Coordinates of all heavy atoms in Angstrom, one line a residue:
Q3 N -28.6 26.5 -50.7 CA -28.1 26.0 -49.5 C -27.4 26.8 -48.6 O -26.4 27.6 -49.1 CB -27.2 24.8 -49.9 CG -27.2 23.7 -49.0 CD -26.2 22.6 -49.6 OE1 -25.3 22.9 -50.2 NE2 -26.7 21.4 -49.4
L13 N -19.3 11.9 -32.5 CA -19.3 12.1 -31.1 C -19.2 10.8 -30.4 O -20.1 9.9 -30.6 CB -20.5 12.9 -30.6 CG -20.7 13.2 -29.2 CD1 -19.6 14.2 -28.7 CD2 -22.1 13.8 -29.0
D18 N -17.7 9.6 -22.5 CA -18.3 10.8 -21.7 C -18.5 11.9 -22.8 O -18.3 13.1 -22.3 CB -17.4 11.2 -20.6 CG -17.5 10.1 -19.5 OD1 -18.4 9.4 -19.4 OD2 -16.5 10.0 -18.8
P24 N -9.4 9.1 -24.6 CA -9.6 9.7 -23.2 C -8.3 10.2 -22.7 O -7.2 9.8 -23.1 CB -10.1 8.4 -22.5 CG -9.7 7.3 -23.3 CD -9.6 7.8 -24.7
T35 N -4.8 15.6 5.3 CA -6.4 15.9 5.3 C -6.8 15.8 6.8 O -8.0 16.1 7.0 CB -7.1 14.9 4.5 OG1 -6.7 13.6 5.0 CG2 -6.7 14.9 3.1
Q37 N -5.4 15.3 11.3 CA -4.4 15.8 12.3 C -3.1 14.8 12.2 O -3.3 13.6 12.3 CB -5.0 15.6 13.7 CG -4.1 16.0 14.8 CD -3.8 17.5 14.8 OE1 -4.6 18.3 14.5 NE2 -2.6 17.8 15.1
Q48 N 14.1 6.0 28.1 CA 12.8 5.5 27.8 C 12.8 4.6 26.5 O 13.5 4.9 25.6 CB 11.7 6.7 27.7 CG 10.4 6.2 27.3 CD 9.5 7.4 27.3 OE1 9.8 8.5 27.5 NE2 8.3 7.2 26.6
I52 N 8.7 4.0 16.8 CA 8.1 4.9 15.9 C 7.4 3.9 14.9 O 8.1 3.2 14.2 CB 9.2 5.8 15.2 CG1 9.9 6.7 16.1 CG2 8.5 6.5 14.1 CD1 11.1 7.4 15.5
P64 N -5.8 11.3 -2.5 CA -6.9 11.7 -3.2 C -7.5 10.7 -4.2 O -8.7 10.6 -4.4 CB -6.7 12.9 -4.0 CG -5.4 13.6 -3.3 CD -4.7 12.4 -2.7
N72 N 8.7 6.2 2.1 CA 9.8 5.8 1.1 C 11.1 6.1 1.7 O 12.0 5.4 1.4 CB 9.5 6.4 -0.1 CG 10.4 6.1 -1.3 OD1 10.6 4.8 -1.5 ND2 11.0 7.1 -2.0
D84 N 20.7 -2.0 8.1 CA 21.5 -3.2 8.1 C 20.5 -4.4 8.2 O 20.2 -4.7 9.4 CB 22.6 -3.1 9.1 CG 23.5 -4.4 9.2 OD1 23.2 -5.3 8.4 OD2 24.4 -4.4 9.9
L88 N 19.3 -6.6 11.5 CA 18.0 -5.8 11.6 C 18.0 -4.6 12.5 O 17.2 -4.3 13.3 CB 17.0 -6.8 12.3 CG 16.6 -8.1 11.6 CD1 15.8 -9.1 12.3 CD2 16.1 -7.7 10.1
L106 N 9.7 -5.9 11.8 CA 9.3 -6.4 10.4 C 8.0 -7.2 10.6 O 7.9 -8.0 11.5 CB 10.4 -7.2 9.8 CG 11.7 -6.5 9.6 CD1 12.8 -7.5 9.1 CD2 11.5 -5.3 8.7
L119 N 10.2 1.2 14.0 CA 11.6 1.3 14.5 C 11.6 1.4 15.9 O 11.0 2.5 16.4 CB 12.4 2.4 13.7 CG 12.5 2.1 12.3 CD1 13.0 3.4 11.6 CD2 13.6 1.0 12.0
L132 N 14.6 16.4 18.2 CA 15.1 15.7 17.1 C 14.1 15.8 15.9 O 13.0 15.3 16.0 CB 15.4 14.3 17.3 CG 15.8 13.4 16.1 CD1 17.2 14.0 15.6 CD2 16.0 11.9 16.5
D140 N 2.8 7.2 -2.7 CA 1.7 6.2 -3.1 C 2.2 5.3 -4.1 O 3.3 5.4 -4.5 CB 0.5 7.0 -3.5 CG 0.7 7.7 -5.0 OD1 1.5 7.2 -5.7 OD2 -0.1 8.6 -5.2
E147 N 6.6 15.4 0.9 CA 7.5 15.4 2.1 C 6.9 15.9 3.3 O 6.1 16.9 3.3 CB 8.7 16.2 1.6 CG 9.6 15.6 0.6 CD 10.8 16.4 0.4 OE1 11.1 17.5 1.1 OE2 11.6 15.9 -0.5

Side-chain angles (χ1 to χ4, degrees):
Q3 208 177 32
L13 183 63
D18 295 331
T35 56
Q37 180 68 37
Q48 181 178 348
I52 299 172
N72 186 45
D84 178 354
L88 297 179
L106 302 173
L119 295 167
L132 177 60
D140 67 27
E147 288 184 3

